[in-house]
Each structure stands twice: as C-alpha cells, then as structure tokens.
Amino acid sequence: MSAATSRTYGILAEFETPADVMHAAEQVRDAGYKKWDVHTPFPVHGMDQAMGLKNSVVGYFTFVGGATGLTLGMSMIWFMNKFDYAIVVGGKPLFSPLYAFPVSYELTILLGAFATLFGMFALNRLPRLHHPLLKHPRFRGATHDKFYIVIECVDSNYSGVETKALLEKAGGKHIEMVEE
Amino acid sequence: MDATADRMAVKVAAPPAELEREPLVLKHRSLAWVSDTVAGIAEGKTPTWWWAAFVPSFLGMLMCFLMIGYLFSTGIGVWGLNNPVGWAWDITNFVFWIGIGHAGTLISAVLFLLRQKWRTSINRSAEAMTLFAVVCAMIFPAIHVGRVWLAWWLFPLPNSNGIWPQFRSPLLWDVFAVSTYGTVSLLFWYVGLIPDLATMRDRAKSAVRKFCYGFFALGWTGSNRHWRNYEKAYLLLAGLSTPLVLSVHSIVSFDFAVSQVPGWHTTIFPPYFVAGAIFSGFGMVLTLLIPLRTLCKLEDVITVRHVELMGKVILATGSIVGYAYGMEFFIAWYGGNPYELYAFKNRAFGPYWWAYWTMISCNVISPQLFWFKKIRTNIVAVFILSIFVNIGMWFERFVIIVTSLHRDYLPSNWGYFKPTIVDILTFVGSFGLFLTLFLLFIRFLPLIAISEVKGVTPLADPHHPLGGSKGGHH
C-alpha cells in the first residue's frame, strides 16, 4: 500500500455484510468525518441514520415541477381556447377549470416526474462517468455483493495512519488507497 | 456461501410455523447468485429459444408495418369501417393495448406504495411490458385518423390556420393522458434500471458493452448519499404514477362515456375500465412470465407464490369487472331509457351475441377458478387461464365499441361490422411488434430488478442474522 499523495482520492475498506458496514459507518460518523460515503449494492435500511444523513430534499423539486405543470396546463388552455382563438362549443363557457382539468392534471404529473428525475440527478451530481472509484479493481463488488466505506483525503479529519486504524478497528478488510 | 451457512447457524427466535411466509427468493440464495443469474440471462450466447421466438415476432412486426404502409397509401377504406361503425378494431386494439400496460404500473407503483415486497421479482419485466404495450397502443389512434400527415394537429402547436386544439374533447385529453403515461412509465423504468445497469457495466467483458451499460448507468457507484435521494425519487415517482395510471384509463373511458351513444354514456365506465385494465394486464404479465421463468431458470425468483398472488389479483379485478357488467344491465333497466335498454339487450342477444358471451366466459366465469388454491398454484392452469383473460378483454372492448355503434337510434342506420384481412393482420402484427421489443429487452437488459431483489432477501437486512447481525441492538 502506498501512502497518501496529492493524487490520492481516498481510502477504501471492504465489508462482507450490511450489518458490518452499518456498525462501521456509525463509528466513522462518530469520529467526525464529513467527506465519506458508504457504497452498497442495494439501499441498506437504517444507513442514513448510521451515516447521520438528513431526509432527502427531492420532494421540493417534485412540488415545483408539479405546480409548474398545473399552472402551465390551465394557462395554456385559457390562452388557446378563450383568449387567442375563442372556440365556441355547444354554448358552453369559453374557459372553465373543469374541462381544463384532465389535461392540466396530466401535465402536473409529467412535469412533476421530470423534475423528480432531474432533481435527483442534480442532488447526486450525476451523470459522472469518470469517478476514481470506478477505476479501482476491488470496487466492482459494490454493485455485486460487497459493501464499502470510502473516506476522502480532502476530509479535514483525514490522517493516513489514524483513518486506516479506524477502518481496521471497525472490521474493514482489504483497506486500500484509491488513486485519483 | 460458507460464510452464509455459518451465519445461518446462529439461533434466532423464529416465528411460529403458521406465521412464517414462504421466502421471496427460494433456497437461501446468496446476493452474488442474484446478480449472476439475472445478469447472466443478458450475457453469454443467445439461446435457441430466443431465436425461435424472435424470428416470427420480427416477421410479424414487419407485417404490421406493411399493413400500415398499405393503409397510408390507400386510405381507411382498406379496413372494414363504414357507417354506422366508424370505430372498430382500431380503437378496440388501442384500448386493449393501453389496458395491458396498466398492470406494469400497478405492480411497479401501487404495490410499491403498499409495501408489497413480492413485486420486486416481476416489476422490471412488467414495466417493460407496459412500455411496449403503450408503443403498440399509440399506433392505432395515430393511424386511424385517416390523414396521418395531419396528426400533429392533435398537439398544441402553432399552425398556419392560426387555430388551436379544442380542449373540451375527451379525445384530446386522451392524447395528453397516453403520451404522459408513456413518458412517465419510461422515466420510472429507467430510474429503476440505473443501479442494475451499473451491475451490468461492472460485469461487462467487452469494451462496447462496458461503454453502453456504463453510459446509461450514468456513473452509478451505489453511494449511500445517492441511494438516499434515489429512494426518495423512486417513492415520489411511484406516488405520481399511481394517480396517473388511474387517470389514464379513466380518460380512455371518457372517450366513450362523455358521448351520447347508448351503451357508452354511463358513469360506471372509469372505475370499470381501470379494473378491467389491471385485470387484462395481469393476464398478460402471467402469459409472458410463466414461460420465461422456465426458459430462463428463474423458478427461485419468480416463485409459485408470485404466480399465486397474481392469480388473486386477477380474481379480484375479474370479479369487479363481472359486477360492472351486471350493474350496467341493471342501470339500463332501472334508468328507464329505452335506447339504453335496447343497446344492452342487443349486446347479449343481438347479432354480436357470440362476442358478448365469449367476453362473459373469459372475464367473469373462468377467473372464478382462481378461488381454488390448487388452481392458483398450478402453473399450467394459470397460464391457460391467463390467455383466456387476454382473449376476454379484447372482446370486452370489441363488444363495447362495435355493438353500441352498429345499431343506434334509427333502424335505417343499422349495419353489421366485419373486419377485413388488413384489420386482422395489423392487429396480429402488433403482437409481433410487442414481442420483438420484449425479446430485445430480455436479451440486453436485466429482466429482474437485481438490486431490489437483493434488498428483499434476509441477507440485506442488517438486523437479521443472515445480514450479519450479531443479535445486539445498536
């Protein structure tokens, strides 16, 4: 194993089970690290707490998207069927929120869904096709059946010896450095 | 596996035998087994059965396109449509295909919100089925307009006439409902695929596969900071898809219910159409997955319990549909409108009696066999009954559309619709299109949600001995 250099991204520790990685994550959290992450093949329930993470804010994106869709639908129909080219059908009102509802409702869902998806991408900083971890040969297990903790070198608490000792004590195997 | 076996030896207080459920993944398979088995289907040599299914499907798809080309070059007269039956197989096929899609969304969204963990083995393929069914469904209303080159007038785009679409029409609501449904289903399906595409990327041997899966996996690393937003987004998309799926078939039913035609103008249509759509969709899911679980050796993931649960959904929705058929007759009599009553008598005993009774036998009578556990757990019986559901639901739409139109108010207007060979071949060909897309999906993408199936095994539970828990509380 090489020591940390300026070209080092972080330190990687492997775990066999979700319980092991969760207990280790609690110890990393309690040691005060900020720039670190747990990588698992599926979402492990309780991990957000173990990492000390708050609730996700994707919902705000969904709300803004949905509200935009509803407003857009209603104003589009008002503009098209009442304002720009009034179409009289069966003596009915030129605009009513009732007949405009189905289309506005669909647009609420459509824009809400797009906002959810792109909001999630923005919060996760995805797509990011070239990540240092993806070049690491052991890391392939993260989408298969292994669990990892990665602590980045830029974390203010990071120190080559102590961080490695912490991960070893927490039960991490194959502790290796990840190059940038 | 040794480590797993060691951990299994840890004694835990097991629930009493009668409360124990059959596990979702049989034979205590490991996490690695799940990715190896599911991803393995899309890797390696193409099996012979795949080609045997793909070649006829592909030819069927070409036939469908050929028929559509003939329709475009000649005109709507190549179909059997004429006054008084101006909608027949085209709209029947549209409603049939869009209805099939609904089971995919029900499985992926509604069962997700209801925390039904068994959905994980079937949701990916059911969602793919939804997408491909929507593709087939969109073809029919698009080609039935006659002058297809003007179909873009359906969209709110500025044109040289300076005129806009008329938003009071349920037909226009349908354009928005179906296109939103197709788009949101695609987004939902893709979000679910991202972690599994990353699995495929990390297993890929060739540079081309690595690039393609890697490109669409967007650099997914399984980071828990990402999972946190991902799971919230997935939950929100499920929450958006649930009212969407209910609205889509309600709006499809408005195409009929908002009109004045006896036999169409009924308020029961929206819930009855939604129940029928879920019924037909589960029929198609079973028709596709029962052969697939054997051909792909997935019996431990798509278990008999899954098949049985789907049988129960078919029984429930089939009974709702049967109730709706009865209630329509009751209201036709109770409402005191002679035209309405005649339309319903004519359905059951008029010239299309054969279609009506085919519908009743397939949709109301045969699903009642699912009351028996012996039948629900008999794979061959379920497969045969699922095909009856498909047939019955096509006939339901045919009965609603054609029998209501062929005899309206004036007897001098009455007629009898017969399909032409072009009608028939276009519909048969649409199955070719559907199966071609589905087979390509099986060959190139993981047909079971790998990460989700892993997540419902005890190995994924940090509080379970198999998940590594030592019994202590933390």
Side-chain angles (χ1 to χ4, degrees):
Chain A
M1 188 186 302
S2 60
T5 65
S6 61
R7 301 282 302 145
T8 308
Y9 170 77
I11 185 163
L12 175 76
E14 186 176 304
F15 298 83
E16 283 291 324
T17 67
D20 291 349
V21 79
M22 198 144 107
H23 296 311
E26 284 162 352
Q27 293 173 40
V28 177
R29 170 197 69 193
D30 294 341
Y33 287 93
K34 292 279 171 278
K35 293 207 168 271
W36 65 289
D37 212 337
V38 178
H39 296 263
T40 55
F42 47 83
V44 175
H45 291 280
M47 189 60 86
D48 290 352
Q49 261 180 311
M51 284 181 72
L53 299 179
K54 291 200 191 75
N55 199 0
S56 166
V57 296
V58 179
Y60 295 104
F61 287 86
T62 312
F63 178 77
V64 171
T68 312
L70 185 68
T71 317
L72 181 77
M74 286 287 175
S75 46
M76 173 182 79
I77 295 169
W78 173 84
F79 171 79
M80 288 177 182
N81 282 184
K82 178 164 186 174
F83 181 80
D84 190 51
Y85 196 117
I87 305 172
V88 182
V89 177
K92 289 171 192 159
L94 285 172
F95 178 79
S96 146
L98 296 184
Y99 86 72
F101 185 73
V103 167
S104 308
Y105 178 86
E106 299 302 332
L107 288 174
T108 308
I109 291 175
L110 183 69
L111 297 201
F114 271 108
T116 308
L117 181 72
F118 289 113
M120 186 266 279
F121 286 161
L123 291 170
N124 286 347
R125 307 285 184 273
L126 288 176
R128 179 178 178 186
L129 296 183
H130 293 277
H131 193 282
L133 285 169
L134 293 176
K135 291 183 290 190
H136 196 275
R138 284 207 80 84
F139 190 70
R140 272 184 212 154
T143 57
H144 191 50
D145 65 342
K146 294 283 187 284
F147 305 84
Y148 298 87
I149 289 184
V150 177
I151 301 176
E152 290 179 37
C153 297
V154 291
D155 192 292
S156 51
N157 275 5
Y158 180 86
S159 102
V161 183
E162 279 172 34
T163 307
K164 183 162 181 272
L166 172 72
L167 289 170
E168 266 169 1
K169 189 171 122 308
K173 309 267 158 51
H174 306 288
I175 300 174
E176 291 176 20
M177 305 308 290
V178 181
E179 295 306 310
E180 193 71 63
Chain B
M1 279 306 284
D2 283 339
T4 310
D6 286 348
R7 271 178 266 129
M8 277 172 63
V10 179
K11 274 275 174 234
V12 274
E18 60 269 22
L19 288 183
E20 267 204 275
R21 286 193 173 177
E22 204 184 318
L24 291 167
V25 179
L26 299 180
K27 296 182 189 161
H28 300 290
R29 300 294 197 176
S30 65
L31 297 175
W33 181 88
V34 176
S35 21
D36 290 340
T37 309
V38 177
I41 298 164
E43 293 164 343
K45 202 169 161 288
T46 311
T48 321
W49 66 261
W50 190 88
W51 283 112
F54 184 76
V55 171
S57 306
F58 189 75
L59 292 175
M61 180 181 81
L62 292 184
M63 180 175 73
C64 181
F65 292 156
L66 192 72
M67 289 299 132
I68 293 172
Y70 178 53
L71 172 86
F72 285 178
S73 63
T74 312
I76 287 290
V78 300
W79 287 346
L81 300 181
N82 210 331
N83 280 332
V85 182
W87 276 0
W89 279 44
D90 46 358
I91 302 301
T92 302
N93 298 341
F94 161 65
V95 183
F96 170 77
W97 279 118
I98 198 86
I100 282 179
H102 282 50
T105 319
L106 187 95
I107 291 168
S108 60
V110 181
L111 296 186
F112 181 78
L113 295 180
L114 298 175
R115 308 234 184 274
Q116 296 294 308
K117 288 181 175 176
W118 60 277
R119 71 183 263 293
T120 54
S121 332
I122 52 173
N123 72 328
R124 172 70 44 72
S125 45
E127 284 171 51
M129 177 196 81
T130 294
L131 277 179
F132 307 145
V134 172
V135 169
C136 292
M138 280 176 160
I139 288 179
F140 288 98
I143 63 175
H144 99 298
V145 296
R147 287 178 284 171
V148 267
W149 48 94
L150 298 179
W152 63 278
W153 284 1
L154 288 164
F155 296 99
L157 299 168
N159 58 49
S160 54
N161 300 327
I163 200 168
W164 297 106
Q166 203 275 93
F167 283 93
R168 291 175 193 82
S169 165
L171 300 183
L172 192 62
W173 303 348
D174 225 14
V175 173
F176 281 84
V178 174
S179 51
T180 299
Y181 184 50
T183 314
V184 173
S185 301
L186 180 68
L187 296 184
F188 198 29
W189 187 63
Y190 178 61
V191 168
L193 265 169
I194 292 172
D196 290 0
L197 288 169
T199 303
M200 298 298 287
R201 170 199 68 201
D202 292 345
R203 298 169 57 91
K205 300 274 186 291
S206 75
V208 177
R209 286 177 77 92
K210 204 178 267 293
F211 175 80
C212 293
Y213 289 122
F215 183 81
F216 287 105
L218 307 174
W220 185 259
T221 56
S223 145
N224 192 64
R225 289 174 196 275
H226 288 182
W227 278 122
R228 184 175 64 116
N229 294 321
Y230 174 94
E231 282 203 286
K232 180 68 85 180
Y234 199 85
L235 175 70
L236 286 163
L237 284 172
L240 289 168
S241 300
T242 301
L244 174 65
V245 72
L246 299 179
S247 79
V248 171
H249 229 60
S250 297
I251 289 179
V252 168
S253 82
F254 290 162
D255 290 349
F256 308 103
V258 175
S259 78
Q260 302 288 336
V261 178
W264 285 4
H265 187 61
T266 57
T267 48
I268 202 174
F269 261 24
Y272 148 43
F273 267 51
V274 171
I278 292 163
F279 177 67
S280 71
F282 270 87
M284 187 60 96
V285 171
L286 285 168
T287 308
L288 292 173
L289 288 188
I290 287 176
L292 209 57
R293 72 191 277 276
T294 312
L295 289 166
C296 298
K297 301 185 178 57
L298 290 170
E299 288 95 340
D300 291 343
V301 189
I302 304 173
T303 65
V304 175
R305 180 178 160 204
H306 289 97
V307 173
E308 195 199 341
L309 287 166
M310 285 191 266
K312 286 181 182 171
V313 177
I314 289 192
L315 174 62
T317 48
S319 304
I320 296 174
V321 167
Y323 167 80
Y325 294 159
M327 189 48 76
E328 276 190 317
F329 262 83
F330 172 74
I331 293 295
W333 166 76
Y334 188 69
N337 179 335
Y339 295 106
E340 186 80 6
L341 187 58
Y342 177 76
F344 280 93
K345 278 188 191 155
N346 183 48
R347 258 185 206 179
F349 306 110
Y352 286 110
W353 64 270
W354 50 271
Y356 185 81
W357 293 104
T358 307
M359 168 187 101
I360 293 285
S361 326
C362 294
N363 289 355
V364 185
I365 299 168
S366 73
Q368 298 305 319
L369 290 169
F370 282 127
W371 283 107
F372 302 102
K373 189 171 174 127
K374 273 220 162 63
I375 292 185
R376 288 198 307 267
T377 52
N378 180 332
I379 299 297
V380 177
V382 175
F383 180 69
I384 294 168
L385 285 170
S386 77
I387 291 177
F388 281 137
V389 172
N390 293 323
I391 297 172
M393 284 309 290
W394 188 86
F395 272 97
E396 181 199 290
R397 281 65 177 252
F398 179 81
V399 164
I400 291 173
I401 294 171
V402 174
T403 66
S404 304
L405 286 174
H406 89 118
R407 288 185 173 177
D408 54 8
Y409 302 96
L410 288 174
S412 58
N413 267 344
W414 289 2
Y416 188 83
F417 166 83
K418 281 201 199 89
T420 64
I421 190 74
V422 182
D423 276 308
I424 296 167
L425 292 182
T426 313
F427 177 54
V428 173
S430 69
F431 276 92
L433 171 63
F434 177 73
L435 290 174
T436 302
L437 292 169
F438 196 78
L439 287 162
L440 288 171
F441 155 71
I442 294 172
R443 193 65 203 113
F444 291 104
L445 292 170
L447 83 152
I448 286 177
I450 301 173
S451 70
E452 289 189 45
V453 169
K454 284 177 187 166
V456 297
T457 60
L459 294 163
D461 180 0
H463 304 287
H464 193 282
L466 290 178
S469 170
K470 306 286 188 292
H473 200 271
H474 59 86

